[in-house]
Amino acid sequence: MDQPQPTPDLRDPALYLNRELSQLEFNYRVLAQAMDPSVPLLERLRFLCISCTNLDEFFEIRVAAVRHQLDYGGSIGPDGLGAATALKLIHEKASGLVEAQYRCWNEVLRPELGAAGIRILARDSWNARQQRWLRNYFRDEILPVLSPLGLDPAHPFPRILNKSLNIVVVLQGKDAFGRAGHMAIVRAPRSLPRIIQLPERVSGGAHDFVLLSAVLGAFVDELFPGMKVKGAYQFRVTRNSELFVDEEEVENLALALKDELAGRGFRRAMRLEIAENCPRPIVKTLLKNFELPENAVYRINGPVNLNRVIQVYDLVDRPELKFPPFQPRKLPPEGGTIFERLREGDVLLHHPFDSFNSVLELVQTAAIDPNVLAIKQTLYRTGGDPALVEALVQAARNGKDVTVVVELRARFDEEANILLADRLQEAGVQVVYGVVGYKTHAKMLLIVRREGRKLQRYVHLGTGNYHAGTAKAYTDIGLMTADADLGNDVHQVFQQLSGLAPAIKLKRLLQSPFTLHAALIAKIEREARHARAGRHARIVAKMNAINEPGVIRALYEASQAGVRIDLLVRGACCLRPGVPGVSENIRVRSVVGRFLEHSRVYWFANNGAPEIFCASADWMERNLLRRVETCFPILDPRLAGRVFDEELANYLADNTQSWELQPDGSYRRIRPEGDEMPHSAQAALLAKLCG
């Protein structure tokens, strides 16, 4: 007689992948785009630089968090990895990624760019004419702004700014004061260009460039006349960039953040990048100064600030080496105002294929419409969009009640958002900083308009920011609607954010940190009940990341019940698919392509009465439990079908830019098999929506 199999413990750490290691896997997928010969050459360079910038931010935020946990303690995540073990594995995996990035640069992209007439000239390849021109350039444009610092008892090691380019110089001899030379630091001011373009008359090529680090290394001896330079080695340090403000203890959040921003560039070091030929004693000196362990040093075969090569993308006008341009679709012109159009039915926007100008037009129209009484909007990242800001300013000057919830703690946009808040307040806009302890990450716009004897609300809800720049590069869903229930829900959320309203019961919206988490788990459990009863059950969801253990356990239970689950997770995924008896019904895919996948869409089959939602929230602890987020249903059946077809079915069919997560945490690239036709989800949307 067969023995019953033991029930798996769904809290077993073996069922969870580490968030940081999963995030590093995403950067490998970005780097794969740089290695893909089917991608235009300059776009491949851009992907390489993106992978480098992503890694910088990874150390600034994620590694900093793990290091903080190691130093001060903290709860261990569901994967069971302690901070010391996690840091060791992170450095091992990150070292492999850095090696792959520089192989891509040195062995693939740099030679291919050279063959295409775009040369990044190494120091050992300069001819006499180029050398003369660069020396003169150094003397005229670089030398006057450099301030070398000799290291001695009177000149201790200087503070090194986060991610700045520096040269450590080994000297021999005595200076004018008779001091024996030993070591000096040369810091490259941020005012200096990191990429220098040579004139065609000098180099013979229209697109010939030299890196600032190479010029500094070549002519650094001119900074130390009478002394001999024994060696010059570039280095860069990456620091913790997370801001900490105890909101409960500060009276003015904006002022407190300004104080924190002033010191952000000099916080604790997380990583040291240095030239691979730097002698070991100097590396030890730097590690000691930055209080870093041995495994936090990364020896670099190339420029330590490789991401700066992205400037070449903008400096070279070669359309054939870039993605072909496209024209985002605009709302077709129809009679009447945009308000009349919304009263006739909801409008769905799928960015970047649909133009963000439709959202801007809604705000601009409201700003000058005499019947509009109030505008309320959340702003997380705007990119300093002058058109949007000017529309809000104009609305306030036109006597409308304008309230803007500005999230000052939007990472790396804190300073821009403080300036934005000041600008809006000067114009008479009521600026709110959200709720203490909870970032306001929801994307909402509410317009109140008098129409006859009643007030009508118009709403825009989105999965992305009110940022015209990212709306051209990120995939996101936006909904414009005059639905009374959604309008009332959004109104109540704004009341909650700007006042001291109690917890509220919303009719259509799901909201973090109150109802979204519980509602997601309830909907997943409902699919499991349908499956156990032999009814149609399925879950398809798309998001940027997933790590919330409660949601993951609910998905495991649904998989055990027989629910087919397809997850499209662009970045970090802590769920482990394909585990027998636990998650064999779960498939996780990641699509990495021309546009950054950013939309969040959740679909539940519900036994033939499907529900589909779009949201500002990923299935992460921070989004579901510690932020203000909104999740909105797509109620119009036609638009719901569009969202499912374009954002879910279309991406599940992708076999050119799609990667499937394996049970061990690695990813396998999906390729067409047999007679399958190649299908790129993003290319299909460009063809369908942009013609």
Side-chain angles (χ1 to χ4, degrees), residues 220-435:
V220 72
D221 60 316
E222 300 208 7
L223 291 168
F224 306 98
M227 304 185 79
K228 183 176 182 181
V229 172
K230 299 280 288 182
Y233 313 99
Q234 57 176 318
F235 74 91
R236 190 176 79 135
V237 65
T238 311
R239 297 184 180 274
N240 179 353
S241 291
E242 192 73 291
L243 297 182
F244 175 76
V245 174
D246 188 346
E247 297 173 49
E248 302 279 0
E249 299 295 326
V250 301
E251 294 183 5
N252 187 313
L253 180 60
L255 286 176
L257 278 171
K258 286 179 182 178
D259 290 341
E260 275 288 294
L261 284 166
R264 171 185 257 175
F266 299 102
R267 299 188 70 187
R268 182 166 188 167
M270 292 295 126
R271 168 182 64 161
L272 171 66
E273 297 167 278
I274 193 160
E276 67 174 2
N277 63 338
C278 183
R280 176 75 190 140
I282 295 177
V283 174
K284 289 185 69 173
T285 299
L286 293 175
L287 286 175
K288 181 179 179 181
N289 176 76
F290 295 127
E291 299 179 332
L292 285 170
E294 290 282 345
N295 63 355
V297 63
Y298 291 75
R299 288 186 173 270
I300 302 301
N301 180 20
V304 294
N305 52 351
L306 183 55
N307 58 319
R308 294 298 196 131
V309 184
I310 190 65
Q311 295 172 37
V312 171
Y313 183 93
D314 294 318
L315 291 169
V316 174
D317 185 19
R318 294 280 297 276
E320 76 279 11
L321 300 181
K322 300 180 180 181
F323 287 127
F326 70 99
Q327 191 65 38
R329 185 173 65 171
K330 297 179 180 179
L331 289 178
E334 295 183 7
T337 67
I338 192 163
F339 299 120
E340 290 170 325
R341 176 162 187 182
L342 292 179
R343 285 200 300 274
E344 293 173 3
D346 295 351
V347 171
L348 183 78
L349 300 171
H350 193 172
H351 306 300
F353 317 102
D354 287 322
S355 174
F356 183 74
N357 284 340
S358 300
V359 180
L360 183 58
E361 179 193 344
L362 181 61
V363 182
Q364 290 173 328
T365 301
I368 61 175
D369 188 318
N371 294 316
V372 168
L373 305 180
I375 301 173
K376 302 176 190 291
Q377 188 166 14
T378 59
L379 294 179
Y380 191 77
R381 301 188 198 277
T382 67
D385 186 347
L388 178 64
V389 174
E390 286 308 312
L392 294 170
V393 166
Q394 185 179 17
R397 289 176 176 164
N398 286 345
K400 305 181 192 311
D401 184 78
V402 182
T403 301
V404 177
V405 181
V406 178
E407 182 46 74
L408 296 182
R409 296 153 299 179
R411 188 177 291 138
F412 298 119
D413 278 345
E414 297 97 343
E415 188 171 6
N417 283 4
I418 289 171
L419 295 173
L420 169 66
D422 291 344
R423 169 86 173 93
L424 292 172
Q425 286 174 320
E426 289 168 3
V429 174
Q430 178 173 285
V431 174
V432 178
Y433 295 147
V435 181

Side-chain angles (χ1 to χ4, degrees), residues 140-155:
D140 296 340
E141 302 291 334
I142 298 176
L143 185 63
V145 297
L146 296 180
S147 299
L149 183 66
L151 302 182
D152 59 33
H155 301 87

